[in-house]
């Protein structure tokens, strides 16, 4: 059973960079069957897709975050990471990493296995 | 691409709950549904319009046609009370993964 676990600081100061890592166990991020991505949820609000990375390094980013966002993968550690720069209070949220099943037919994807989530608060 | 869900749906135990997800020609896309209970991560309950992952009760089913996708929960139980989100992949824009705003299912 594949498991995903987020790690990183729970408190980030405004204007600094939010950095999170997702460690995958029970499977490989080098698999062509999946995307690997991040989704966040501000307190009391709905789900917002942040972005995904494919095993070949291709990335897809939410346009509203693209200028501040980097998602990268480390196959040697079986991890992928999120860096979001110049954060504000609006970036306070629970951040989830998730495996996205990728369709062979049209390359579409959907999150089918989620980490437990980690709360990141942006505050001085 | 915008997905619209009703903010809330209420149903008595043992009855059938239907949660809709509206989008322009959504019937041409694959729709996926997630259940999220308080302080827990979302769980996939229906994928590709109508298929259930292993471990999801048969009471959960889905359909998709025209401009509306529907998640149907039969014989609703108190434990089904949760937020439900629909999701599609939009290959025509940079916003690839689109979620609906979520529906709170209340079991009366």
């Amino acid at each position: 059973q594949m498991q995903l676990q987020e790690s990183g600081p729970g408190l980030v100061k405004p204007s600094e960079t939010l950095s999170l890592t997702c460690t995958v166990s029970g499977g490989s991020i080098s698999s062509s069957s999946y995307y690997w991505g991040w989704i966040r949820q501000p307190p009391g609000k709905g789900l917002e897709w942040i972005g995904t990375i494919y095993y070949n390094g291709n990335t897809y980013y939410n346009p509203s975050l693209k200028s501040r966002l980097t998602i990268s993968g480390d196959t040697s550690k079986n991890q992928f990471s999120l860096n979001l720069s110049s954060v504000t209070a609006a970036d306070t949220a629970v951040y989830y990493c998730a495996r996205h099943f990728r369709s062979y037919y049209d390359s579409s994807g959907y999150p089918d296995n989620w980490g437990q989530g980690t709360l990141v608060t942006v505050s001085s | 691409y915008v997905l619209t869900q009703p903010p809330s749906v209420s149903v008595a135990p043992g009855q059938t709950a239907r949660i809709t997800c509206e989008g322009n020609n959504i019937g041409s896309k694959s729709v996926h549904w997630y259940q999220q209970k308080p302080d827990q991560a979302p769980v996939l309950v229906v994928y590709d319009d109508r298929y259930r992952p292993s471990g999801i009760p048969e009471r959960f089913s889905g359909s998709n046609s025209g401009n509306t996708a529907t998640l149907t929960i039969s014989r609703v139980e108190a434990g089904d009370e949760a937020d439900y989100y629909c999701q599609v992949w939009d290959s025509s824009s940079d916003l690839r993964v689109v979620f609906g705003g979520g529906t709170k299912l209340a079991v009366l």
Side-chain angles (χ1 to χ4, degrees):
Chain A
Q1 177 74 5
M2 184 177 292
Q3 293 188 323
L4 296 89
Q5 178 67 59
E6 305 88 352
S7 60
L11 181 63
V12 181
K13 290 182 167 56
S15 80
E16 295 189 345
T17 296
L18 183 161
S19 297
L20 295 173
T21 296
C22 182
T23 300
V24 179
S25 58
S28 172
I29 69 167
S30 298
S31 170
S32 61
S33 298
Y34 304 103
Y35 300 105
W36 305 92
W38 295 92
I39 295 155
R40 70 181 183 179
Q41 185 172 36
K45 296 188 178 181
L47 302 170
E48 179 183 29
W49 176 71
I50 297 172
T52 59
I53 187 167
Y54 192 40
Y55 83 104
N56 60 5
N58 287 352
T59 52
Y60 306 90
Y61 293 160
N62 185 322
S64 69
L65 301 171
K66 188 173 184 177
S67 63
R68 302 191 288 132
L69 180 62
T70 302
I71 295 176
S72 58
D74 185 339
T75 55
S76 67
K77 297 181 179 178
N78 215 33
Q79 296 174 334
F80 59 101
S81 298
L82 162 73
N83 282 281
L84 185 66
S85 64
S86 304
V87 296
T88 70
D91 295 308
T92 293
V94 174
Y95 285 76
Y96 297 99
C97 62
R99 184 186 77 177
H100 294 49
F101 178 81
R102 180 182 180 273
S103 168
Y104 287 118
Y105 301 104
D106 61 5
S107 300
S108 66
Y110 58 90
D112 69 337
N113 192 333
W114 301 61
Q116 66 183 23
T118 186
L119 175 62
V120 178
T121 301
V122 178
S123 175
S124 55
Chain B
Y1 192 79
V2 178
L3 296 175
T4 302
Q5 298 181 236
S8 64
V9 168
S10 299
V11 64
Q15 299 304 303
T16 297
R18 294 179 178 84
I19 299 172
T20 59
C21 176
E22 296 184 347
N24 184 36
N25 198 25
I26 195 174
S28 66
K29 300 180 181 297
S30 292
V31 179
H32 320 286
W33 292 91
Y34 303 86
Q35 176 193 68
Q36 185 180 32
K37 296 182 178 179
D39 298 320
Q40 295 185 19
V43 172
L44 181 70
V45 293
V46 167
Y47 66 95
D48 288 345
D49 297 339
R50 58 191 178 96
Y51 298 98
R52 284 175 290 103
S54 174
I56 301 301
E58 293 183 7
R59 300 185 297 105
F60 288 81
S61 63
S63 63
N64 183 18
S65 179
N67 292 320
T68 305
T70 303
L71 174 69
T72 301
I73 309 172
S74 304
R75 303 180 300 283
V76 167
E77 303 173 356
D80 298 330
E81 188 162 283
D83 293 325
Y84 291 85
Y85 295 89
C86 59
Q87 177 256 318
V88 300
W89 177 277
D90 183 17
S91 58
S92 66
S93 82
D94 288 335
L95 187 64
R96 296 299 175 99
V97 176
V98 181
F99 289 101
T103 298
K104 170 68 176 180
L105 176 66
V107 181
L108 304 173

